Amino acid sequence: MTTPTRFRIGYAFEPNKKNFITDAVVNESKQRGIDLIKIDTDKPLAEQGPFDCILQRLSNEIRIKQLEEYSSLNTDVLIIDPPSKIKVLHDRYSMLHCVEDMTKMNGQENEIGIPTFGIPKQVLVTDVDSLMNVNAEGGLKLRFPLIAKPEMVDGSMQSHELSLVYNLGALKKVHTPVVLQEFVNHGGVMLKVYVVGEYVKCVKRNSVPDISEEQLDFEKNPVPFSQVSNKPSQEHSDHMSNEETRIENAVMPPDSLVTCIAKGLREATGLNLMNFDLIRDSRISNHYLVLDINYAPGYEKMPSYDSVLTDFFCDLRKKKRKVKFYSLFRKFQMLCCG
C-alpha cells in the first residue's frame, strides 16, 4: 500500500516577530499529514525545502526579495501571504479604503433593524500646517476626541504608539505624518474579528471607556493608549470595576454581518490571515465601524486556534491538489486534441 504524500509547509518569521506556530499546532498538523518546518532565515531559501507552501511573516527587505525570487522559480509553491499583498495593510489611512468600497457596492441604507457598517471619519495629515486646519472653518471638520495613529506600520514600536487627542491644544503636539480618526463611543467594548482563510471568529475585548464632552478639556497633551486604561479618575475606576459586566452585556454583531465584512476584506486584499477591529457605534442603532486591519495577528488569543490553523493548512493542501489535478487534466486534453 502506497504511503500518502505528506504536505510540507515551511514557516518563516522574523526573529523579533511572535511565532504562532506552537508545539500544539505542529503536533496536531503532523497527525493530519502536514509537516511544519521552520525555515532558517539566515540561510538561502533555495537550499531548504522542498516545500508545498510557505507561511511567512517577513519584514526584512533582503529576506523578502529572496522569498520573491524563490517564488518566481517555484510557481507551484503557495505563499501565504505574498509580501506585495500584505503591503496594503502597511498604510493605516489607505487600508480602510476597501471597507468604504464595500459599503458603496452593498448600497447600505440605515433602515431600522438592518445592521450596517463603515469606517470612522478620518484624515491623513502630512505636515504641521495641515494639522492646524483640522478643526478650522472650511477645514477637515473632525470632532474631538481623536485617535492619532502613525501613518505607516513598519514593525517598529513607534508605529504602534497610538494616542488619544482630546482638544486643539493637544493636537498641536501631535507628530506628523499622522492619521487622525474620530473616536466614537462604543460602550468600552472592542470586537476582535479573526480571519483564517474562510474561518471567521468574533470575540469581545475590553476597550477605551466612553468619553463625555466634559472630559475634552482635561488633557492638554496627547495621551498614549497605554495610559488611558490607567487614568486615576473615579469615573474610570467605575469602568474598571464593571469591566466584566460590560463585556458580558455587550451585544454581539450578527454573524452574517461579520462574515460579510471578512469575505469582502479577503477578496479586496487577497489575504488569508488577518484580523480587524470592529466597534458598535453608540450614536446609531445597529451600526458598526471597522477601525483597523492587522496582518497575521496573535492567533494564540483566538479560541481553539491550534485546531483552526490546522484546518486551514488542510484546506491549503486540498486547494493545491485541486489545482494540480486541473493542470494535469488540461495537459491531457491538449495531448488528446493535438
Side-chain angles (χ1 to χ4, degrees), residues 13-41:
F13 290 70
E14 293 290 351
N16 62 337
K17 293 282 187 183
K18 194 163 186 180
N19 186 350
F20 54 76
I21 303 298
T22 62
D23 290 343
V25 175
V26 171
N27 292 333
E28 185 165 344
S29 297
K30 189 173 184 179
Q31 292 173 11
R32 298 174 67 179
I34 295 170
D35 294 326
L36 293 170
I37 303 143
K38 185 175 181 179
I39 292 173
D40 188 338
T41 54

PDB file of all heavy atoms in Angstrom, residues 13-41:
ATOM      1  N   PHE A  13       9.537  33.420  10.038  1.00  0.00           N
ATOM      2  CA  PHE A  13       9.181  34.586  10.833  1.00  0.00           C
ATOM      3  C   PHE A  13      10.451  35.373  11.144  1.00  0.00           C
ATOM      4  O   PHE A  13      11.521  34.790  11.331  1.00  0.00           O
ATOM      5  CB  PHE A  13       8.521  34.172  12.148  1.00  0.00           C
ATOM      6  CG  PHE A  13       7.145  33.594  12.000  1.00  0.00           C
ATOM      7  CD1 PHE A  13       6.944  32.343  11.434  1.00  0.00           C
ATOM      8  CD2 PHE A  13       6.028  34.295  12.429  1.00  0.00           C
ATOM      9  CE1 PHE A  13       5.682  31.804  11.293  1.00  0.00           C
ATOM     10  CE2 PHE A  13       4.761  33.769  12.296  1.00  0.00           C
ATOM     11  CZ  PHE A  13       4.585  32.524  11.728  1.00  0.00           C
ATOM     12  N   GLU A  14      10.317  36.688  11.212  1.00  0.00           N
ATOM     13  CA  GLU A  14      11.448  37.488  11.669  1.00  0.00           C
ATOM     14  C   GLU A  14      11.734  37.138  13.132  1.00  0.00           C
ATOM     15  O   GLU A  14      10.812  36.822  13.887  1.00  0.00           O
ATOM     16  CB  GLU A  14      11.129  38.988  11.554  1.00  0.00           C
ATOM     17  CG  GLU A  14      10.982  39.497  10.128  1.00  0.00           C
ATOM     18  CD  GLU A  14      12.300  39.522   9.367  1.00  0.00           C
ATOM     19  OE1 GLU A  14      13.363  39.300   9.995  1.00  0.00           O
ATOM     20  OE2 GLU A  14      12.274  39.747   8.135  1.00  0.00           O
ATOM     21  N   PRO A  15      13.007  37.197  13.548  1.00  0.00           N
ATOM     22  CA  PRO A  15      13.363  36.855  14.923  1.00  0.00           C
ATOM     23  C   PRO A  15      12.593  37.656  15.973  1.00  0.00           C
ATOM     24  O   PRO A  15      12.317  37.159  17.064  1.00  0.00           O
ATOM     25  CB  PRO A  15      14.866  37.167  14.984  1.00  0.00           C
ATOM     26  CG  PRO A  15      15.335  37.007  13.566  1.00  0.00           C
ATOM     27  CD  PRO A  15      14.195  37.492  12.724  1.00  0.00           C
ATOM     28  N   ASN A  16      12.232  38.903  15.630  1.00  0.00           N
ATOM     29  CA  ASN A  16      11.522  39.742  16.604  1.00  0.00           C
ATOM     30  C   ASN A  16      10.001  39.627  16.497  1.00  0.00           C
ATOM     31  O   ASN A  16       9.268  40.294  17.223  1.00  0.00           O
ATOM     32  CB  ASN A  16      11.920  41.216  16.424  1.00  0.00           C
ATOM     33  CG  ASN A  16      11.557  41.762  15.050  1.00  0.00           C
ATOM     34  OD1 ASN A  16      11.399  41.003  14.099  1.00  0.00           O
ATOM     35  ND2 ASN A  16      11.436  43.078  14.951  1.00  0.00           N
ATOM     36  N   LYS A  17       9.515  38.771  15.583  1.00  0.00           N
ATOM     37  CA  LYS A  17       8.073  38.572  15.435  1.00  0.00           C
ATOM     38  C   LYS A  17       7.601  37.408  16.297  1.00  0.00           C
ATOM     39  O   LYS A  17       8.287  36.396  16.410  1.00  0.00           O
ATOM     40  CB  LYS A  17       7.716  38.282  13.974  1.00  0.00           C
ATOM     41  CG  LYS A  17       7.936  39.440  13.014  1.00  0.00           C
ATOM     42  CD  LYS A  17       6.845  40.459  13.116  1.00  0.00           C
ATOM     43  CE  LYS A  17       6.995  41.517  12.020  1.00  0.00           C
ATOM     44  NZ  LYS A  17       5.971  42.571  12.146  1.00  0.00           N
ATOM     45  N   LYS A  18       6.434  37.565  16.892  1.00  0.00           N
ATOM     46  CA  LYS A  18       5.888  36.485  17.697  1.00  0.00           C
ATOM     47  C   LYS A  18       5.454  35.337  16.787  1.00  0.00           C
ATOM     48  O   LYS A  18       4.753  35.536  15.806  1.00  0.00           O
ATOM     49  CB  LYS A  18       4.697  36.980  18.524  1.00  0.00           C
ATOM     50  CG  LYS A  18       4.306  36.012  19.631  1.00  0.00           C
ATOM     51  CD  LYS A  18       3.436  36.684  20.667  1.00  0.00           C
ATOM     52  CE  LYS A  18       3.183  35.743  21.827  1.00  0.00           C
ATOM     53  NZ  LYS A  18       2.342  36.371  22.870  1.00  0.00           N
ATOM     54  N   ASN A  19       5.897  34.151  17.125  1.00  0.00           N
ATOM     55  CA  ASN A  19       5.636  32.969  16.312  1.00  0.00           C
ATOM     56  C   ASN A  19       4.408  32.236  16.838  1.00  0.00           C
ATOM     57  O   ASN A  19       4.406  31.759  17.976  1.00  0.00           O
ATOM     58  CB  ASN A  19       6.867  32.057  16.349  1.00  0.00           C
ATOM     59  CG  ASN A  19       6.748  30.878  15.415  1.00  0.00           C
ATOM     60  OD1 ASN A  19       5.696  30.596  14.860  1.00  0.00           O
ATOM     61  ND2 ASN A  19       7.841  30.166  15.241  1.00  0.00           N
ATOM     62  N   PHE A  20       3.344  32.155  16.029  1.00  0.00           N
ATOM     63  CA  PHE A  20       2.133  31.476  16.484  1.00  0.00           C
ATOM     64  C   PHE A  20       2.111  29.997  16.091  1.00  0.00           C
ATOM     65  O   PHE A  20       1.113  29.317  16.295  1.00  0.00           O
ATOM     66  CB  PHE A  20       0.864  32.195  15.977  1.00  0.00           C
ATOM     67  CG  PHE A  20       0.800  32.426  14.499  1.00  0.00           C
ATOM     68  CD1 PHE A  20       0.496  31.389  13.631  1.00  0.00           C
ATOM     69  CD2 PHE A  20       1.022  33.690  13.978  1.00  0.00           C
ATOM     70  CE1 PHE A  20       0.413  31.594  12.264  1.00  0.00           C
ATOM     71  CE2 PHE A  20       0.954  33.916  12.607  1.00  0.00           C
ATOM     72  CZ  PHE A  20       0.645  32.866  11.754  1.00  0.00           C
ATOM     73  N   ILE A  21       3.216  29.521  15.517  1.00  0.00           N
ATOM     74  CA  ILE A  21       3.320  28.084  15.228  1.00  0.00           C
ATOM     75  C   ILE A  21       3.868  27.398  16.486  1.00  0.00           C
ATOM     76  O   ILE A  21       5.086  27.287  16.679  1.00  0.00           O
ATOM     77  CB  ILE A  21       4.225  27.806  14.018  1.00  0.00           C
ATOM     78  CG1 ILE A  21       3.715  28.560  12.785  1.00  0.00           C
ATOM     79  CG2 ILE A  21       4.286  26.309  13.729  1.00  0.00           C
ATOM     80  CD1 ILE A  21       2.323  28.150  12.334  1.00  0.00           C
ATOM     81  N   THR A  22       3.005  26.988  17.358  1.00  0.00           N
ATOM     82  CA  THR A  22       3.397  26.372  18.626  1.00  0.00           C
ATOM     83  C   THR A  22       3.551  24.858  18.471  1.00  0.00           C
ATOM     84  O   THR A  22       3.206  24.283  17.435  1.00  0.00           O
ATOM     85  CB  THR A  22       2.336  26.655  19.692  1.00  0.00           C
ATOM     86  OG1 THR A  22       1.087  26.055  19.267  1.00  0.00           O
ATOM     87  CG2 THR A  22       2.127  28.152  19.884  1.00  0.00           C
ATOM     88  N   ASP A  23       4.058  24.218  19.525  1.00  0.00           N
ATOM     89  CA  ASP A  23       4.199  22.756  19.510  1.00  0.00           C
ATOM     90  C   ASP A  23       2.851  22.079  19.304  1.00  0.00           C
ATOM     91  O   ASP A  23       2.764  21.052  18.620  1.00  0.00           O
ATOM     92  CB  ASP A  23       4.823  22.280  20.826  1.00  0.00           C
ATOM     93  CG  ASP A  23       6.287  22.676  20.942  1.00  0.00           C
ATOM     94  OD1 ASP A  23       6.893  23.019  19.909  1.00  0.00           O
ATOM     95  OD2 ASP A  23       6.824  22.657  22.070  1.00  0.00           O
ATOM     96  N   ALA A  24       1.796  22.669  19.889  1.00  0.00           N
ATOM     97  CA  ALA A  24       0.452  22.085  19.744  1.00  0.00           C
ATOM     98  C   ALA A  24       0.008  22.105  18.287  1.00  0.00           C
ATOM     99  O   ALA A  24      -0.583  21.130  17.788  1.00  0.00           O
ATOM    100  CB  ALA A  24      -0.545  22.851  20.615  1.00  0.00           C
ATOM    101  N   VAL A  25       0.287  23.201  17.589  1.00  0.00           N
ATOM    102  CA  VAL A  25      -0.073  23.308  16.172  1.00  0.00           C
ATOM    103  C   VAL A  25       0.751  22.322  15.343  1.00  0.00           C
ATOM    104  O   VAL A  25       0.224  21.637  14.457  1.00  0.00           O
ATOM    105  CB  VAL A  25       0.152  24.748  15.656  1.00  0.00           C
ATOM    106  CG1 VAL A  25      -0.105  24.828  14.158  1.00  0.00           C
ATOM    107  CG2 VAL A  25      -0.754  25.734  16.389  1.00  0.00           C
ATOM    108  N   VAL A  26       2.049  22.228  15.634  1.00  0.00           N
ATOM    109  CA  VAL A  26       2.932  21.307  14.913  1.00  0.00           C
ATOM    110  C   VAL A  26       2.464  19.869  15.087  1.00  0.00           C
ATOM    111  O   VAL A  26       2.369  19.102  14.112  1.00  0.00           O
ATOM    112  CB  VAL A  26       4.388  21.456  15.405  1.00  0.00           C
ATOM    113  CG1 VAL A  26       5.274  20.352  14.812  1.00  0.00           C
ATOM    114  CG2 VAL A  26       4.946  22.824  15.025  1.00  0.00           C
ATOM    115  N   ASN A  27       2.147  19.497  16.327  1.00  0.00           N
ATOM    116  CA  ASN A  27       1.749  18.110  16.610  1.00  0.00           C
ATOM    117  C   ASN A  27       0.404  17.757  15.991  1.00  0.00           C
ATOM    118  O   ASN A  27       0.240  16.667  15.416  1.00  0.00           O
ATOM    119  CB  ASN A  27       1.700  17.883  18.127  1.00  0.00           C
ATOM    120  CG  ASN A  27       3.076  17.948  18.759  1.00  0.00           C
ATOM    121  OD1 ASN A  27       4.083  17.673  18.096  1.00  0.00           O
ATOM    122  ND2 ASN A  27       3.145  18.323  20.029  1.00  0.00           N
ATOM    123  N   GLU A  28      -0.568  18.655  16.089  1.00  0.00           N
ATOM    124  CA  GLU A  28      -1.882  18.367  15.510  1.00  0.00           C
ATOM    125  C   GLU A  28      -1.804  18.289  13.989  1.00  0.00           C
ATOM    126  O   GLU A  28      -2.461  17.445  13.369  1.00  0.00           O
ATOM    127  CB  GLU A  28      -2.897  19.435  15.940  1.00  0.00           C
ATOM    128  CG  GLU A  28      -4.306  19.123  15.477  1.00  0.00           C
ATOM    129  CD  GLU A  28      -5.379  19.955  16.174  1.00  0.00           C
ATOM    130  OE1 GLU A  28      -5.081  20.569  17.219  1.00  0.00           O
ATOM    131  OE2 GLU A  28      -6.513  19.985  15.665  1.00  0.00           O
ATOM    132  N   SER A  29      -1.000  19.175  13.393  1.00  0.00           N
ATOM    133  CA  SER A  29      -0.829  19.147  11.938  1.00  0.00           C
ATOM    134  C   SER A  29      -0.158  17.848  11.498  1.00  0.00           C
ATOM    135  O   SER A  29      -0.539  17.245  10.484  1.00  0.00           O
ATOM    136  CB  SER A  29       0.008  20.350  11.480  1.00  0.00           C
ATOM    137  OG  SER A  29      -0.642  21.565  11.776  1.00  0.00           O
ATOM    138  N   LYS A  30       0.831  17.422  12.262  1.00  0.00           N
ATOM    139  CA  LYS A  30       1.563  16.200  11.929  1.00  0.00           C
ATOM    140  C   LYS A  30       0.634  14.987  11.908  1.00  0.00           C
ATOM    141  O   LYS A  30       0.742  14.111  11.035  1.00  0.00           O
ATOM    142  CB  LYS A  30       2.687  15.982  12.942  1.00  0.00           C
ATOM    143  CG  LYS A  30       3.653  14.867  12.579  1.00  0.00           C
ATOM    144  CD  LYS A  30       4.825  14.830  13.549  1.00  0.00           C
ATOM    145  CE  LYS A  30       5.837  13.773  13.119  1.00  0.00           C
ATOM    146  NZ  LYS A  30       7.008  13.746  14.046  1.00  0.00           N
ATOM    147  N   GLN A  31      -0.302  14.947  12.868  1.00  0.00           N
ATOM    148  CA  GLN A  31      -1.257  13.847  12.935  1.00  0.00           C
ATOM    149  C   GLN A  31      -2.176  13.812  11.723  1.00  0.00           C
ATOM    150  O   GLN A  31      -2.749  12.770  11.397  1.00  0.00           O
ATOM    151  CB  GLN A  31      -2.087  13.958  14.219  1.00  0.00           C
ATOM    152  CG  GLN A  31      -1.291  13.726  15.493  1.00  0.00           C
ATOM    153  CD  GLN A  31      -2.108  14.002  16.747  1.00  0.00           C
ATOM    154  OE1 GLN A  31      -3.334  14.183  16.675  1.00  0.00           O
ATOM    155  NE2 GLN A  31      -1.450  14.050  17.890  1.00  0.00           N
ATOM    156  N   ARG A  32      -2.295  14.950  11.044  1.00  0.00           N
ATOM    157  CA  ARG A  32      -3.186  15.040   9.895  1.00  0.00           C
ATOM    158  C   ARG A  32      -2.429  15.110   8.567  1.00  0.00           C
ATOM    159  O   ARG A  32      -2.938  15.583   7.559  1.00  0.00           O
ATOM    160  CB  ARG A  32      -4.129  16.237  10.063  1.00  0.00           C
ATOM    161  CG  ARG A  32      -5.015  16.095  11.300  1.00  0.00           C
ATOM    162  CD  ARG A  32      -5.861  17.319  11.584  1.00  0.00           C
ATOM    163  NE  ARG A  32      -6.865  17.550  10.564  1.00  0.00           N
ATOM    164  CZ  ARG A  32      -7.741  18.556  10.596  1.00  0.00           C
ATOM    165  NH1 ARG A  32      -7.728  19.393  11.621  1.00  0.00           N
ATOM    166  NH2 ARG A  32      -8.615  18.709   9.628  1.00  0.00           N
ATOM    167  N   GLY A  33      -1.169  14.659   8.596  1.00  0.00           N
ATOM    168  CA  GLY A  33      -0.407  14.531   7.362  1.00  0.00           C
ATOM    169  C   GLY A  33       0.283  15.789   6.883  1.00  0.00           C
ATOM    170  O   GLY A  33       0.652  15.891   5.707  1.00  0.00           O
ATOM    171  N   ILE A  34       0.462  16.744   7.784  1.00  0.00           N
ATOM    172  CA  ILE A  34       1.097  18.016   7.401  1.00  0.00           C
ATOM    173  C   ILE A  34       2.329  18.248   8.263  1.00  0.00           C
ATOM    174  O   ILE A  34       2.260  18.204   9.491  1.00  0.00           O
ATOM    175  CB  ILE A  34       0.107  19.190   7.560  1.00  0.00           C
ATOM    176  CG1 ILE A  34      -1.050  19.034   6.573  1.00  0.00           C
ATOM    177  CG2 ILE A  34       0.816  20.522   7.341  1.00  0.00           C
ATOM    178  CD1 ILE A  34      -2.179  19.994   6.799  1.00  0.00           C
ATOM    179  N   ASP A  35       3.459  18.490   7.617  1.00  0.00           N
ATOM    180  CA  ASP A  35       4.706  18.758   8.321  1.00  0.00           C
ATOM    181  C   ASP A  35       4.997  20.256   8.305  1.00  0.00           C
ATOM    182  O   ASP A  35       5.070  20.869   7.230  1.00  0.00           O
ATOM    183  CB  ASP A  35       5.868  18.010   7.666  1.00  0.00           C
ATOM    184  CG  ASP A  35       5.731  16.499   7.806  1.00  0.00           C
ATOM    185  OD1 ASP A  35       5.205  16.052   8.840  1.00  0.00           O
ATOM    186  OD2 ASP A  35       6.133  15.780   6.869  1.00  0.00           O
ATOM    187  N   LEU A  36       5.147  20.833   9.481  1.00  0.00           N
ATOM    188  CA  LEU A  36       5.501  22.243   9.611  1.00  0.00           C
ATOM    189  C   LEU A  36       6.998  22.333   9.871  1.00  0.00           C
ATOM    190  O   LEU A  36       7.501  21.811  10.874  1.00  0.00           O
ATOM    191  CB  LEU A  36       4.711  22.898  10.745  1.00  0.00           C
ATOM    192  CG  LEU A  36       3.201  23.018  10.503  1.00  0.00           C
ATOM    193  CD1 LEU A  36       2.479  23.448  11.764  1.00  0.00           C
ATOM    194  CD2 LEU A  36       2.922  24.005   9.372  1.00  0.00           C
ATOM    195  N   ILE A  37       7.713  22.989   8.964  1.00  0.00           N
ATOM    196  CA  ILE A  37       9.170  23.030   9.009  1.00  0.00           C
ATOM    197  C   ILE A  37       9.639  24.473   9.174  1.00  0.00           C
ATOM    198  O   ILE A  37       9.314  25.339   8.355  1.00  0.00           O
ATOM    199  CB  ILE A  37       9.765  22.443   7.712  1.00  0.00           C
ATOM    200  CG1 ILE A  37       9.250  21.010   7.517  1.00  0.00           C
ATOM    201  CG2 ILE A  37      11.275  22.484   7.735  1.00  0.00           C
ATOM    202  CD1 ILE A  37       8.979  20.649   6.106  1.00  0.00           C
ATOM    203  N   LYS A  38      10.393  24.711  10.228  1.00  0.00           N
ATOM    204  CA  LYS A  38      10.899  26.068  10.464  1.00  0.00           C
ATOM    205  C   LYS A  38      12.002  26.396   9.470  1.00  0.00           C
ATOM    206  O   LYS A  38      12.975  25.654   9.335  1.00  0.00           O
ATOM    207  CB  LYS A  38      11.427  26.198  11.898  1.00  0.00           C
ATOM    208  CG  LYS A  38      11.853  27.618  12.259  1.00  0.00           C
ATOM    209  CD  LYS A  38      12.262  27.732  13.712  1.00  0.00           C
ATOM    210  CE  LYS A  38      12.648  29.167  14.058  1.00  0.00           C
ATOM    211  NZ  LYS A  38      13.034  29.297  15.480  1.00  0.00           N
ATOM    212  N   ILE A  39      11.852  27.514   8.788  1.00  0.00           N
ATOM    213  CA  ILE A  39      12.846  27.968   7.820  1.00  0.00           C
ATOM    214  C   ILE A  39      13.912  28.786   8.541  1.00  0.00           C
ATOM    215  O   ILE A  39      13.596  29.656   9.352  1.00  0.00           O
ATOM    216  CB  ILE A  39      12.174  28.808   6.712  1.00  0.00           C
ATOM    217  CG1 ILE A  39      11.266  27.917   5.846  1.00  0.00           C
ATOM    218  CG2 ILE A  39      13.206  29.521   5.849  1.00  0.00           C
ATOM    219  CD1 ILE A  39      10.440  28.674   4.837  1.00  0.00           C
ATOM    220  N   ASP A  40      15.145  28.499   8.244  1.00  0.00           N
ATOM    221  CA  ASP A  40      16.270  29.258   8.797  1.00  0.00           C
ATOM    222  C   ASP A  40      16.426  30.524   7.958  1.00  0.00           C
ATOM    223  O   ASP A  40      16.872  30.466   6.805  1.00  0.00           O
ATOM    224  CB  ASP A  40      17.546  28.425   8.757  1.00  0.00           C
ATOM    225  CG  ASP A  40      18.698  29.092   9.507  1.00  0.00           C
ATOM    226  OD1 ASP A  40      18.654  30.323   9.685  1.00  0.00           O
ATOM    227  OD2 ASP A  40      19.637  28.373   9.907  1.00  0.00           O
ATOM    228  N   THR A  41      16.041  31.671   8.521  1.00  0.00           N
ATOM    229  CA  THR A  41      16.062  32.928   7.758  1.00  0.00           C
ATOM    230  C   THR A  41      17.470  33.437   7.493  1.00  0.00           C
ATOM    231  O   THR A  41      17.644  34.385   6.721  1.00  0.00           O
ATOM    232  CB  THR A  41      15.263  34.017   8.502  1.00  0.00           C
ATOM    233  OG1 THR A  41      15.750  34.140   9.849  1.00  0.00           O
ATOM    234  CG2 THR A  41      13.780  33.668   8.549  1.00  0.00           C
TER     235      THR A  41
END
